[in-house]
Amino acid sequence: MITPGIVDNDSYDQTSFIGDEEDETAIPDSYIRIQYHPRTGLPDKIINLEFSSQPESIPSPPSHDQYDPFPTYADYIFSEWVTKSNASNADIDFLLRNIHNGTFCSRPLLKIKNAAQLRRIVDKAASIYHNFTPHDYSVKFKKLDGTVTDLQYQIYVKDGEKWIEEMVTDPTLKEDWEWHANRRFIVINGENIGRAITNPMTADSLYQMEELLSHDPSHVQFPLIAYSDKSNAAYWAQSEIWPLCMRPANLPKAIAHQNNSYGGNSLIALFPKIVPPDGEADNPSWPSTLRAVYHKGLETALESFARSSKEGVCVRCGDGVIRVIFPRFPIINQDLQEQYLSALTRGNNALHGCPRCDVHHDDLGDILTSWDLRCQTESEEAYRAALELHATGQKRRAEELLQSKGLYLVRVSGISGIQQSSKLIGLVQNGWWTISNCNVHDALSFDVLHSIWLGVWGKHLWPLLLSTLTPAQKANLRDRAAFAPTFPGMMRLTSLDKVEFSDGKKYFSILQQVLPLVVDLVLPRFHPFLKAIQILSEIAMHSEFRLQLEDRLERGKALVRQLGNQLEVRPNTPEDEG
């Protein structure tokens, strides 16, 4: 039996803790004070900035043993290349034969002799890690002709609990985990710069969630960032799939932000492509069926996370310390349409359709007011009340209740893991509600890509700016863009008004460079509009800071208020300009 908190070796770093120093004057002039939540009982920690020039953590180079079962590093990279390129056995045999007989090189480093041996080694390497398991499920659907059929779906799921265990038990990552939410305060040359927010573990949400754990510091939360985008569905096994990805929020960015890398952004589930059956695209019951298919699949994908989020999972980590780990989801990153789907809210046309807050439909254009965030507990209570009304035949009252909250009811063909009365079979809750201590409304994050680059700017202000220009002015703008200097990381776009857009980065690049190119082209009466664009560009800049200070956040909020006021300014009429 293992006991949480026991450590097999000295796993603690040499960073000083407040109270360890014999002389308090040893605290340097420039430092970061890390303040842990009181429930942990951990003292404050000081990071000396005067001597700390260590770069951001990156994964350490693997040793030879880490390439086992591949004989050598060369065998590993060769196997990876031919596997990713879908090389045939004949092609692999051809390459290996000519490598070993001296045709391609005189001193081959490869030990693998043929395709059959390579396939066996790759299969053995893959068996070390937890693979995906297919899960079949069905959802009833009433067709336009009145018949009811079972729609069959399959979702591929990786066991989330085992995925977390694989990472936290890896000794190569033992120095990189951040196990406790904290607050960080920067002091430079004796001057208090203020609180710094560098990652989710230093933000308010996870700091407040520390309250939900016991006072045993070996009980830790494991924050995850979930991401899905049905528009990025890919073809796999001759079927179009919809990926659900996750990454740890308590690893350094250099590790966690890498796609398809160990400890980075990882594929957790493959949803089926959810499309209406042939001839049923206009069926009024399809939207409800789509929500049912999604949330029944989501509940399956989150099953292991739901279990460990309630009970925790006891693991001897790579540093030798035994911890009880509770998965958390502080951030769910999706575009607006998927946020509606995840929160089961009704969208902009509903009275209260926002997936995050209680803003009324009539106030959607008001960005000067801060609206109360939705409370998941209230959403669940409204949902349960609607279920009871539905079970007693009061379907109209149930619908009116949900409409007043901007919520949808989900109908599926069966219930998994949820205790309901026999009258409620065919109804199920939001899949995210199965996760303990997860507020889906709060987790659905503001997305710079969709909200600013593609949204306010790309779909609204940029087309409106173009509409103020004559064809001759647009041609002048293109000429200026062709000769304007650029900067590292900035995308050069010449025919600004004719670009076919595929992603938000192009919109952002235009926002970065368009104002000095266009300021004297628009009529003076539109200059207040240019001021609004300038404010929006400053908001975009503030949202992109990797290190947020409290005064920067306040400045960003002030900019949002300025934008709201500036958008109220009406342009002068031609008569006003004489």
Side-chain angles (χ1 to χ4, degrees):
M1 180 177 181
I2 57 178
T3 304
I6 297 298
V7 59
D8 292 342
N9 50 55
D10 183 11
S11 61
Y12 298 101
D13 59 35
Q14 301 302 312
T15 307
S16 62
F17 290 83
I18 300 299
D20 288 349
E21 305 89 346
E22 296 180 1
D23 182 1
E24 292 189 2
T25 60
I27 296 179
D29 290 333
S30 299
Y31 61 90
I32 298 175
R33 180 191 296 268
I34 300 179
Q35 185 181 80
Y36 294 100
H37 193 280
R39 77 97 195 163
T40 65
L42 296 175
D44 291 359
K45 185 164 67 172
I46 293 292
I47 297 178
N48 188 343
L49 295 180
E50 296 175 357
F51 302 101
S52 178
S53 59
Q54 185 176 0
E56 188 174 14
S57 176
I58 59 175
S60 57
S63 66
H64 169 75
D65 292 342
Q66 288 177 287
Y67 289 103
D68 184 69
F70 297 95
T72 66
Y73 173 66
D75 289 293
Y76 167 75
I77 60 174
F78 178 82
S79 301
E80 182 184 39
W81 178 74
V82 296
T83 301
K84 286 185 174 181
S85 60
N86 295 318
S88 66
N89 287 345
D91 289 338
I92 295 172
D93 282 334
F94 172 81
L95 291 170
L96 290 173
R97 182 172 59 253
N98 285 280
I99 287 172
H100 287 292
N101 66 19
T103 302
F104 290 168
C105 60
S106 59
R107 299 178 61 186
L109 299 177
L110 295 176
K111 302 298 183 183
I112 296 176
K113 300 297 184 181
N114 52 54
Q117 182 186 9
L118 184 144
R119 300 298 188 194
R120 288 195 300 270
I121 292 174
V122 169
D123 289 343
K124 183 178 180 181
S127 68
I128 298 173
Y129 302 100
H130 183 69
N131 295 315
F132 290 86
T133 303
H135 296 266
D136 297 316
Y137 64 100
S138 64
V139 171
K140 289 191 179 298
F141 175 61
K142 187 175 182 179
K143 301 171 70 174
L144 287 171
D145 61 9
T147 61
V148 177
T149 184
D150 284 327
L151 302 180
Q152 304 295 326
Y153 295 94
Q154 186 175 70
I155 181 172
Y156 282 78
V157 177
K158 177 183 288 187
D159 188 307
E161 191 173 292
K162 293 183 178 179
W163 171 62
I164 291 175
E165 287 185 27
E166 286 173 3
M167 291 187 291
V168 300
T169 56
D170 187 341
T172 65
L173 294 175
K174 67 180 182 180
E175 303 295 336
D176 298 308
W177 295 108
E178 195 163 0
W179 291 115
H180 301 287
N182 58 82
R183 290 176 174 168
R184 301 190 174 194
F185 302 89
I186 299 179
V187 174
I188 302 294
N189 295 327
E191 179 184 355
N192 183 15
I193 304 301
R195 182 182 170 199
I197 300 171
T198 59
N199 59 56
M201 290 295 280
T202 61
D204 286 341
S205 177
L206 288 173
Y207 190 85
Q208 294 165 359
M209 290 176 71
E210 287 278 340
E211 292 277 3
L212 304 175
L213 298 173
S214 75
H215 287 270
D216 184 345
S218 69
H219 287 222
V220 297
Q221 52 186 340
F222 194 89
L224 295 164
I225 299 175
Y227 170 84
S228 67
D229 189 349
K230 65 180 179 181
S231 65
N232 283 344
Y235 286 96
W236 178 79
Q238 298 181 341
S239 299
E240 198 167 347
I241 52 86
W242 177 355
L244 171 65
C245 299
M246 296 181 190
R247 66 170 178 254
N250 57 339
L251 277 176
K253 294 177 183 177
I255 300 175
H257 286 199
Q258 298 297 317
N259 289 325
N260 303 315
S261 66
Y262 188 61
N265 203 32
S266 301
L267 183 64
I268 298 299
L270 295 169
F271 284 88
K273 183 182 179 183
I274 308 175
V275 294
D278 292 342
E280 301 290 336
D282 297 327
N283 191 326
S285 67
W286 172 248
S288 177
T289 304
L290 182 151
R291 291 187 290 272
V293 175
Y294 176 81
H295 279 278
K296 194 170 184 184
L298 180 63
E299 184 181 353
T300 302
L302 297 177
E303 184 176 354
S304 64
F305 294 108
R307 181 176 58 252
S308 53
S309 71
K310 296 179 178 68
E311 304 169 359
V313 54
C314 193
V315 182
R316 188 185 301 277
C317 299
D319 59 359
V321 178
I322 298 169
R323 296 181 175 90
V324 181
I325 294 174
F326 295 83
R328 299 285 188 257
F329 288 89
I331 299 175
I332 302 171
N333 192 350
Q334 297 173 324
D335 65 25
L336 186 58
Q337 292 303 315
E338 286 191 63
Q339 288 191 22
Y340 292 146
L341 185 58
S342 286
L344 283 178
T345 50
R346 296 180 176 236
N348 288 339
N349 292 327
L351 293 179
H352 299 276
C354 177
R356 280 186 52 81
C357 71
D358 287 329
V359 60
H360 191 277
H361 174 269
D362 296 339
D363 298 316
L364 287 174
D366 181 3
I367 65 174
L368 297 176
T369 304
S370 296
W371 307 98
D372 291 335
L373 288 176
R374 281 181 177 270
C375 175
Q376 181 167 304
T377 301
E378 293 180 1
S379 295
E380 292 185 52
E381 290 174 353
Y383 199 88
R384 283 193 294 267
L387 288 177
E388 294 298 331
L389 291 171
H390 200 280
T392 57
Q394 303 179 70
K395 296 183 180 180
R396 182 174 179 179
R397 286 190 59 194
E399 180 66 12
E400 290 173 349
L401 171 61
L402 291 172
Q403 281 185 354
S404 69
K405 302 293 184 181
L407 296 172
Y408 275 121
L409 202 64
V410 179
R411 296 170 173 81
V412 299
S413 60
I415 300 295
S416 173
I418 303 173
Q419 297 297 320
Q420 303 279 6
S421 69
S422 58
K423 294 181 180 180
L424 299 182
I425 293 298
L427 300 172
V428 72
Q429 64 180 350
N430 186 315
W432 286 109
W433 294 354
T434 63
I435 302 294
S436 181
N437 300 313
C438 172
N439 182 350
V440 63
H441 302 299
D442 185 48
L444 290 169
S445 63
F446 176 84
D447 185 343
V448 174
L449 169 64
H450 295 96
S451 299
I452 297 181
W453 298 353
L454 288 171
V456 176
W457 171 242
K459 292 185 178 179
H460 298 285
L461 298 190
W462 171 237
L464 189 57
L465 176 59
L466 287 177
S467 71
T468 68
L469 303 178
T470 65
Q473 290 170 331
K474 291 179 182 179
N476 197 343
L477 175 61
R478 291 194 296 271
D479 292 340
R480 292 179 177 185
F483 292 99
T486 187
F487 301 92
M490 182 183 291
M491 189 182 301
R492 176 179 287 278
L493 300 169
T494 54
S495 299
L496 299 183
D497 60 317
K498 296 183 177 181
V499 172
E500 293 287 337
F501 294 102
S502 59
D503 58 58
K505 291 182 180 179
K506 292 182 180 178
Y507 283 117
F508 180 54
S509 293
I510 292 177
L511 180 60
Q512 287 178 301
Q513 57 192 292
V514 72
L515 279 178
L517 303 178
V518 79
V519 63
D520 63 336
L521 296 180
V522 301
L523 295 173
R525 66 191 183 98
F526 292 116
H527 283 182
F529 177 56
L530 294 184
K531 178 63 177 178
I533 295 175
Q534 178 190 0
I535 297 172
L536 180 67
S537 66
E538 291 189 52
I539 293 173
M541 179 185 70
H542 275 72
S543 66
E544 287 292 291
F545 284 137
R546 294 186 178 182
L547 185 150
Q548 291 288 0
L549 300 173
E550 287 187 323
D551 63 339
R552 285 181 176 175
L553 293 176
E554 290 304 316
R555 171 62 178 159
K557 294 176 183 178
L559 285 169
V560 172
R561 292 191 292 270
Q562 288 181 35
L563 179 62
N565 290 324
Q566 191 66 28
L567 290 175
E568 295 294 327
V569 178
R570 302 297 179 185
N572 295 325
T573 64
E575 291 76 13
D576 294 332
E577 297 177 356

